[in-house]
Amino acid sequence: MLVLNCSMKLQMLEKMLRWSFPESLKVYGAVMNINRGNPFRKEVVVDSWPDFKAVITRPWRENEMDDLDHYSNAHAVFYKELRAYQELIENTNAINWGQIFQIQGLQDGICEICRTVALSKQVDVKTSSFQMFIHSDPDTLPDVRLQMDPNLTLAYLDISHASLLSETWSRGGNPRSQKYLANLIRCFPSVCVLDDNGYPVSWSLTDQFATMIHGYTLPEHRRKGYNRLVATTLAKKLHSCGFPAQGNVLEMNIPSITLLKSMNARFLPCSFFRVIHTPFHFLAKSHL
């Protein structure tokens, strides 16, 4: 196992990962963030270099991490050989199995190996899958011009909005999710529509893997085109910064899928998988 902390090697890795799209997209987004200031304090682990067969992005080991915070204890994985990926997470200290954490990736084998290794580590796993999409050329998306209420404005999210985002997020509603969302707002691009009191009514933001997440419009403001406006604006913003305009959506979220198709988003042939790992001794804790 090797930790890549050389800037030249990390730049090389970013270029190498492009050859393996779309399966490498999650790791690619994380490596891009590392190479552009590393706002979320991530690092890269490989099985070997330069002919790596498995790569993981993970939080800095020097960080004071909350062992119960799977939002920030997030890893992205890409492998060329499944066995190399299994050996990397099973027989090295690439993963801290003593905390609650998540692994994200776009390859079926990620879930398979997580289940196999977690059993031997006395860790529970919960998997979820999503459709992954990408806007190949956001600059070709037409500008969205709305007859908006004059009291509404297009803006960026503020850290003070994190509480509302957490309450409306399917994975949120707790102090850790609120803290995590506040960090995303501080570190990465976001777009929202604000009312005249500075209160968000529609928004979308970017996560630590350069992925568009949590597109949401308050119920009383739906069917007015705000979701299209924030999604288009954020996709163009990411593209202008050199990032892929990528995102994921639940397979049963038909309204969002319909919207994305109308925006000519390309749905990828591979699914996006999230695997949350919880050590058995944490399962009985009521506050999780």
Side-chain angles (χ1 to χ4, degrees):
M1 182 195 85
L2 299 172
V3 178
L4 290 189
N5 48 27
C6 168
S7 60
M8 290 185 62
K9 291 179 180 179
L10 289 168
Q11 292 287 347
M12 286 178 58
L13 176 62
E14 182 180 321
K15 294 177 182 179
M16 294 162 75
L17 289 168
R18 293 177 192 162
W19 304 339
S20 300
F21 282 178
E23 288 84 358
S24 64
L25 269 170
K26 283 287 181 177
V27 171
Y28 177 74
V31 172
M32 285 192 74
N33 277 323
I34 292 171
N35 287 336
R36 288 154 181 78
N38 202 5
F40 238 71
R41 298 182 178 180
K42 296 285 185 176
E43 62 186 9
V44 175
V45 174
V46 293
D47 65 315
S48 59
W49 182 262
D51 298 320
F52 69 89
K53 299 179 182 64
V55 55
I56 297 174
T57 63
R58 68 181 188 185
W60 272 355
R61 284 298 171 88
E62 294 81 2
N63 280 1
E64 286 278 343
M65 300 302 296
D66 177 356
D67 285 340
L68 305 181
D69 181 11
H70 76 267
Y71 303 100
S72 298
N73 298 337
H75 306 63
V77 170
F78 168 70
Y79 62 82
K80 297 177 182 178
E81 292 185 9
L82 189 60
R83 182 62 188 172
Y85 163 55
Q86 179 170 350
E87 291 178 352
L88 187 58
I89 68 171
E90 186 174 31
N91 301 321
T92 70
N93 66 346
I95 298 290
N96 180 0
W97 288 92
Q99 65 180 195
I100 302 177
F101 67 95
Q102 61 172 292
I103 287 179
Q104 297 188 13
L106 295 166
Q107 295 166 287
D108 292 345
I110 289 173
C111 296
E112 171 193 340
I113 296 303
C114 283
R115 293 190 188 97
T116 299
V117 177
L119 186 61
S120 67
K121 304 284 187 181
Q122 294 190 309
V123 171
D124 177 72
V125 297
K126 286 186 171 58
T127 64
S128 51
S129 63
F130 306 77
Q131 289 194 57
M132 193 80 180
F133 67 86
I134 189 168
H135 294 286
S136 301
D137 189 0
D139 289 340
T140 63
L141 291 173
D143 289 331
V144 180
R145 302 186 184 278
L146 303 176
Q147 297 298 320
M148 287 203 307
D149 184 320
N151 294 320
L152 299 178
T153 56
L154 188 66
Y156 298 114
L157 288 165
D158 184 83
I159 292 176
S160 63
H161 302 143
S163 176
L164 172 65
L165 269 63
S166 179
E167 292 170 4
T168 55
W169 193 25
S170 60
R171 297 175 52 220
N174 60 76
R176 290 187 178 90
S177 67
Q178 182 173 329
K179 179 181 177 182
Y180 172 70
L181 290 167
N183 285 337
L184 294 185
I185 292 169
R186 185 181 69 251
C187 295
F188 304 118
S190 64
V191 177
C192 67
V193 175
L194 299 178
D195 66 15
D196 55 351
N197 293 314
Y199 191 81
V201 301
S202 181
W203 59 83
S204 183
L205 67 159
T206 311
D207 75 1
Q208 56 192 307
F209 304 117
T211 304
M212 299 165 63
I213 67 164
H214 194 20
Y216 189 86
T217 300
L218 295 179
E220 62 270 28
H221 292 276
R222 291 175 183 169
R223 299 186 180 278
K224 298 178 182 178
Y226 299 156
N227 201 355
R228 181 184 296 272
L229 173 62
V230 296
T232 299
T233 305
L234 184 56
K236 291 188 175 187
K237 176 65 175 176
L238 288 171
H239 186 64
S240 71
C241 295
F243 289 91
Q246 59 173 323
N248 46 257
V249 59
L250 286 169
E251 296 171 355
M252 67 285 292
N253 190 346
I254 303 304
S256 291
I257 292 173
T258 302
L259 170 65
L260 290 164
K261 287 182 176 179
S262 74
M263 295 171 61
N264 296 320
R266 179 166 62 93
F267 283 84
L268 303 182
C270 47
S271 295
F272 158 55
F273 298 99
R274 178 188 297 117
V275 188
I276 296 179
H277 301 68
T278 306
F280 289 165
H281 62 273
F282 285 138
L283 289 175
K285 293 185 179 293
S286 60
H287 58 277
L288 297 183

